[in-house]
Amino acid sequence: MTTRRKFLASAGVGAAAAGLAAPALAQSKIRWRMQTYAGVALADHVIRPAIESFNKIAGDEMEIELFTADQLVPTGELFRAMQQGTIDAVQSDDDSMASPTEVTVFGGYFPFASRYSLDVPVLFNQYGLNEIWGAEYEKVGVKHISAGSWDPCNFATISPIRSLDDLKGKRVFTFPTAGRFLAQFGVVPVTLPYEDVEVAMQTGELDGVAWSGITEDYTVGWAGPARYFLTNNISGAWIGHFFANMDRWNEVPERLQELLRVCMDQSHYYRQWWYWGGEARLRVEGTKMELTSIPDEDWDKVETAARTFWDEIAEESETKARIVGIFKKYNEDMQKAGRPYRYTRA
């Protein structure tokens, strides 16, 4: 670059030469590396279509190379890798990528924060969570691009769960915050690489998972070793996000930033109907897992414990208290709105 500048100055062409150089710079293709939390089979639904669509439209201007769970770095190191620029962008929840922010505990499955998948986009777009997430990640040099909902969190286990007592001693693959909450009911949270989970259930190292709904259980192969599916869930939808290294984001032209948002919104929409329909269809037509349920009077104890858990989290910081307040206000509004938003058991 120094040699080029000297050449332009000695040639006496000044601004005219600089103007000629601009088209060459504009034609330089932007290349990103993005890693998702999802394994190969799941990524084909939760992210790959959106990235392929973006690459097709962006053409010669930009290309995103997609990597699946743990392919470049372990999921727990995703945030640091993105912050440092080793990876340009990430699809994950805050919790499992261990982001050092005030919002981390609310990523993934925050117990009973949502009942349906549509709750998540409403919370972010109408109740102020987008602004909080954006501010928190800007502090640590990361761009929070958008948030969306995934599937509910149910147990898929080798032995049946029909009461709260059946949870005791179960070694379960789950998210950090979900594991922290479930431990009070005797669940033993286990951390493993995503791709090792199926084998761990086959060998008995795991008793099950509390990572997803039934759609993912079938899609990624967990419905093989897991013979039972508990219909009670601890959250109506996983909260996930798209993030980017702030410097890499700022280097992208505004038009391509907007294209990224549009394609990511399309990804959020795809998951809305894919999960919503898949959860119902596989409960009705699935042949690999027997459905079980914990009686309402027992499960009410879990929901009550969740509210206590919320209050404990709210005491940790002002930002956390603000978010818990939003969750409470939202759920109160939904309850007042009545059916179909919320219902009260007779």
Side-chain angles (χ1 to χ4, degrees):
M1 182 61 72
T2 301
T3 302
R4 181 167 173 264
R5 286 172 178 163
K6 288 180 178 177
F7 170 76
L8 291 174
S10 61
V13 293
L20 290 173
L25 291 174
Q27 291 172 6
S28 180
K29 191 171 189 176
I30 301 170
R31 297 184 185 276
W32 272 14
R33 299 199 302 173
M34 171 184 279
Q35 183 169 312
T36 175
Y37 75 95
V40 177
L42 186 60
D44 284 346
H45 291 280
V46 301
I47 180 62
R48 196 177 304 282
I51 297 305
E52 289 177 347
S53 179
F54 175 85
N55 288 340
K56 183 177 181 179
I57 299 170
D60 293 333
E61 295 180 78
M62 184 170 175
E63 181 179 1
I64 298 175
E65 186 177 7
L66 181 64
F67 297 87
T68 53
D70 305 315
Q71 196 171 355
L72 294 179
V73 298
T75 298
E77 298 176 14
L78 276 177
F79 176 84
R80 293 300 181 192
M82 173 175 53
Q83 187 185 47
Q84 295 167 2
T86 306
I87 298 172
D88 302 295
V90 164
Q91 180 198 40
S92 179
D93 69 284
D94 321 76
D95 202 21
S96 57
M97 74 174 188
S99 65
T101 69
E102 289 292 309
V103 300
T104 296
V105 71
F106 302 102
Y109 293 117
F110 190 64
F112 297 98
S114 65
R115 190 173 295 276
Y116 307 117
S117 58
L118 278 173
D119 291 338
V120 174
V122 175
L123 279 161
F124 275 85
N125 293 301
Q126 295 185 356
Y127 278 72
L129 294 191
N130 262 334
E131 290 74 19
I132 298 174
W133 258 251
E136 283 298 309
Y137 278 97
E138 187 175 358
K139 294 176 185 176
V140 292
V142 167
K143 173 65 177 179
H144 174 254
I145 303 174
S146 70
S149 60
W150 272 249
D151 50 340
C153 183
N154 297 77
F155 284 87
T157 52
I158 296 170
S159 60
I161 298 174
R162 295 189 173 93
S163 70
L164 290 183
D165 284 342
D166 290 337
L167 293 174
K168 294 178 180 177
K170 289 283 192 297
R171 294 161 298 175
V172 173
F173 176 66
T174 190
F175 293 87
T177 298
R180 175 180 167 185
F181 170 69
L182 291 169
Q184 64 187 290
F185 300 101
V187 172
V188 180
V190 178
T191 301
L192 287 173
Y194 182 88
E195 297 294 346
D196 294 345
V197 172
E198 183 177 0
V199 173
M201 280 197 284
Q202 291 170 345
T203 61
E205 183 181 355
L206 281 177
D207 296 307
V209 297
W211 174 274
S212 67
I214 198 169
T215 307
E216 284 193 24
D217 292 333
Y218 273 80
T219 301
V220 305
W222 297 340
R227 293 179 291 176
Y228 298 90
F229 180 84
L230 181 66
T231 59
N232 311 72
N233 63 59
I234 66 164
S235 177
W238 190 72
I239 301 175
H241 312 266
F242 289 102
F243 304 95
N245 174 281
M246 187 68 79
D247 290 337
R248 299 291 82 76
W249 173 262
N250 290 335
E251 291 168 1
V252 174
E254 187 175 347
R255 186 178 66 82
L256 291 178
Q257 289 179 352
E258 186 64 22
L259 177 59
L260 274 166
R261 292 189 184 96
V262 169
C263 290
M264 290 171 183
D265 280 347
Q266 176 61 26
S267 177
H268 295 322
Y269 172 67
Y270 179 101
R271 289 191 313 276
Q272 284 281 353
W273 60 260
W274 185 64
Y275 277 124
W276 184 257
E279 297 299 299
R281 179 177 58 83
L282 287 169
R283 286 190 181 200
V284 174
E285 300 176 2
T287 58
K288 293 184 178 180
M289 293 191 291
E290 178 184 335
L291 303 184
T292 64
S293 296
I294 293 176
D296 289 344
E297 55 271 23
D298 275 355
W299 197 247
D300 285 344
K301 298 173 185 176
V302 182
E303 295 202 26
T304 300
R307 297 303 184 268
T308 301
F309 183 76
W310 287 16
D311 291 337
E312 292 171 357
I313 296 297
E315 292 175 356
E316 295 178 356
S317 75
E318 183 178 340
T319 299
K320 290 176 181 177
R322 183 183 172 194
I323 295 170
V324 168
I326 289 173
F327 282 135
K328 287 183 176 180
K329 173 68 165 64
Y330 176 76
N331 278 279
E332 287 170 3
D333 288 350
M334 295 299 103
Q335 194 69 39
K336 290 175 182 176
R339 298 175 185 270
Y341 298 95
R342 293 293 187 270
Y343 62 90
T344 301
R345 286 192 289 267

